[in-house]
Amino acid sequence: MKTQTRSLSQLVDEQLKKWQGATVERKSVKAKPGPVITISREPGTGGSEIARRLAEKLKMDLVGAQIIQKIAESANMSAKVIESLDEKEVSRRDDWLSSLFETRHLWVDDYLHHLTKVIGTFGSQGNMIIVGRGAQYILPPQDTFRLRFIAPMETKIQNVMRSSGSTKEDAKKYIIKTDSDRRAYLRKYFNADVTDPSHYDMVVNTGKIGINGTVETVAAAFTLWKQMRRSSA
């Protein structure tokens, strides 16, 4: 585990230097890595399903929950402990987090450091779709197609009810709480308003065009964006 963690740290440190304009030699790289798609989504918009379909259609790798495990490896801590530092109940956990950071020697800045390392490593490999975790604020915008999915509340409620079998009331509570947790997470760690459209290259209302329409629209826009990116390079 120590060897894997050290290797991960070396890869990320090299990538961060490249982003900062330092001259770093590439090792055994035949071509520049492809761009990355980041996905931010309101709960109930179908974001996870859209991400899966996009990955299949565009032949890209999909990264989501794996990030938590990689952070755990980088921090040399269990995935369960690291997961507790993620999007859940930010506003109510500060007191016990302070105790956790002191006893485990993991501070808030360290969490961001590990998160940046992990997402940076995935980003450096290219041809990835990264869901959540504030990746849109970490990766360089010139190499990242940043997506945001929204939908009317009624659409989100129906989607959650259909996928989870919950009642309308429970589905609405889930949406409101999850959305609040995600907003708090991004405010706390990135000082960012996740709803600000200027943070994205494309915002799609999935309630208007559906899952299939969103996949086709995003795929077409991403292909055009890649062409423009290559022509301006």
Side-chain angles (χ1 to χ4, degrees), residues 1 19 23 35 41-42 49 56 61-62 64 93 102 113 118 125-126 165 168 172 186 207 219:
M1 177 63 74
W19 292 348
T23 302
R41 74 282 187 217
E42 293 179 345
E49 183 177 354
E56 181 178 350
D61 294 323
L62 179 61
R93 71 187 180 206
E102 290 173 1
H113 179 64
V118 172
Q125 295 175 22
K168 184 173 183 178
K172 186 173 183 179
L186 292 169

Side-chain angles (χ1 to χ4, degrees), residues 51-52 73 102 138 153 158 169 172 187 202 227:
R52 286 194 297 271
E73 292 175 7
E102 290 173 1
I138 295 174
M153 177 59 77
Q158 293 300 320
E169 181 179 358
K172 186 173 183 179
R187 281 197 306 269
M202 188 176 190
Q227 293 173 352

